[in-house]
Amino acid sequence: MKNKIKLLKRQIIYDMKIILSFQHKRHLIFIIIIVFLFMLFHRKVNGYTAILEDDGIGFWDYLIYIFCGKNKMNNLTQLDIFDMPVEWLLIHSYILLAVGTYPKVEYGERGYQFLLRAGNKWCWWISKGFYIITDVMLYYFSIMLVALVSSILNGTSINNINKDILYYVFGIDGSKLTMNDIVRSTVIMPLLIIIALCITLMFISFVVNIMISVIILLAYLSVSAYWCSKWLLGNYTMVLRTDEVPFVAGVLIACGITVIFFLWGYLYFNQMDMIGKQREEMI
């Protein structure tokens, strides 16, 4: 038992070093993207003359901008024009690609060699799950950090929510949107949903391959923008759909998917022939 714990710690430390030594460039690019999106947000807000400049853009306004999403579509026809929530999709897609694909890539490059030496697949798989949770949180905290710095530069309070921006830019009635709704759809659910999607991507990437798994998950996310359903997890990270999908159901579904695909993935991974994999690489 002590040897397994020691092995697990060693593998977790290895994965954390990967974040610091190899993944920092992806985090930097992500921060640059967030800064660029917030600049576009400023330009968009400045285009509305009805919004008072004295109020400024606050911390929560930035988060709502990223996770605003799209209103529920009813009876969409061929004559209707549907615009995809670009910011929402971009953030989800980037984190999904940067985090969810790492386990399979690392396995193909170095992981299976470590497994052959250590002989413990469970420790390796748990470490990858820990890596996904940690890295997703780091990416999300990057969003919060840029939002916080931006709001400070604007001279606005962290608790400030500009109701004019809610109404004119997002089309949200500020009197009907509570702080609990905002926290749920911009903090709690994005973390839970993105972790669930990354764990799912990790599982599918071992069953098929990385490219197909990414296509499947991105298509699944895109469908969330078109249809409102409690089984389409993207709906839970849209502020505009807080009243359409139940929060408790979202938490249960996200946690359930995370646990199911993590365990199912390990069962599949445990049956993989690493000796055969090594021989293929030597040929």
Side-chain angles (χ1 to χ4, degrees):
M1 185 64 182
K2 290 183 179 180
N3 290 335
K4 290 184 178 180
I5 294 176
K6 185 177 180 180
L7 181 62
L8 178 59
K9 288 181 178 179
R10 188 173 67 181
Q11 183 62 34
I12 290 176
I13 292 173
Y14 168 81
D15 287 328
M16 293 305 101
K17 287 181 178 179
I18 290 294
I19 296 178
L20 296 175
S21 58
F22 294 103
Q23 303 292 351
H24 65 279
K25 291 183 180 179
R26 293 185 178 182
H27 284 269
L28 180 59
I29 293 173
F30 183 73
I31 290 176
I32 293 174
I33 291 174
I34 297 299
V35 171
F36 177 73
L37 290 177
F38 285 172
M39 291 173 62
L40 293 179
F41 181 40
H42 272 266
R43 184 176 179 181
K44 188 174 184 179
V45 170
N46 292 334
Y48 291 85
T49 57
I51 299 176
L52 299 176
E53 294 183 3
D54 295 338
D55 293 339
I57 303 175
F59 173 78
W60 293 106
D61 297 321
Y62 287 111
L63 293 187
I64 293 173
Y65 169 68
I66 295 296
F67 297 105
C68 182
K70 194 72 180 172
N71 278 313
K72 177 182 177 182
M73 302 297 295
N74 294 314
N75 301 320
L76 187 66
T77 66
Q78 293 182 349
L79 298 178
D80 295 322
I81 298 176
F82 181 83
D83 54 323
M84 180 71 70
V86 178
E87 302 84 8
W88 173 86
L89 184 61
L90 177 61
I91 295 302
H92 285 74
S93 301
Y94 188 97
I95 299 176
L96 195 63
L97 288 168
V99 181
T101 57
Y102 165 74
K104 182 61 182 291
V105 172
E106 200 274 335
Y107 169 78
E109 293 178 352
R110 297 172 294 273
Y112 73 91
Q113 295 178 352
F114 170 83
L115 285 166
L116 288 172
R117 294 193 304 269
N120 195 312
K121 295 181 178 180
W122 179 238
C123 289
W124 190 89
W125 192 259
I126 289 180
S127 177
K128 294 302 175 285
F130 186 83
Y131 169 90
I132 286 176
I133 294 174
T134 303
D135 210 18
V136 168
M137 292 179 68
L138 287 175
Y139 274 105
Y140 184 80
F141 289 151
S142 297
I143 300 175
M144 297 185 70
L145 178 62
V146 177
L148 178 61
V149 172
S150 299
S151 63
I152 292 174
L153 293 176
N154 293 335
T156 56
S157 171
I158 188 174
N159 296 320
N160 180 66
I161 299 176
N162 193 319
K163 291 188 177 182
D164 287 337
I165 293 178
L166 286 180
Y167 182 77
Y168 291 106
V169 180
F170 305 131
I172 299 174
D173 186 352
S175 62
K176 296 181 180 179
L177 187 68
T178 66
M179 180 56 72
N180 286 337
D181 293 332
I182 295 175
V183 173
R184 289 172 181 176
S185 54
T186 63
V187 181
I188 299 175
M189 294 313 298
L191 281 171
L192 293 178
I193 297 303
I194 296 175
I195 288 173
L197 292 176
C198 286
I199 292 292
T200 303
L201 178 60
M202 177 173 70
F203 163 65
I204 299 177
S205 66
F206 277 93
V207 176
V208 283
N209 58 55
I210 292 178
M211 181 177 294
I212 294 178
S213 61
V214 168
I215 292 173
I216 291 174
L217 268 296
L218 291 182
Y220 174 78
L221 269 177
S222 300
V223 170
S224 298
Y226 286 90
W227 287 285
C228 185
S229 170
K230 67 179 182 180
W231 299 108
L232 296 174
L233 297 182
N235 286 281
Y236 295 99
T237 62
M238 296 185 186
V239 178
L240 287 170
R241 298 187 185 179
T242 52
D243 294 332
E244 302 293 339
V245 286
F247 170 70
V248 176
V251 173
L252 294 176
I253 293 173
C255 293
I257 288 177
T258 300
V259 173
I260 290 172
F261 280 103
F262 183 79
L263 295 177
W264 192 5
Y266 168 70
L267 292 176
Y268 180 87
F269 179 69
N270 193 42
Q271 300 300 318
M272 291 181 65
D273 180 15
M274 289 178 294
I275 302 297
K277 169 70 178 178
Q278 187 186 42
R279 289 174 178 171
E280 291 177 5
E281 296 291 332
M282 295 174 62
I283 296 177

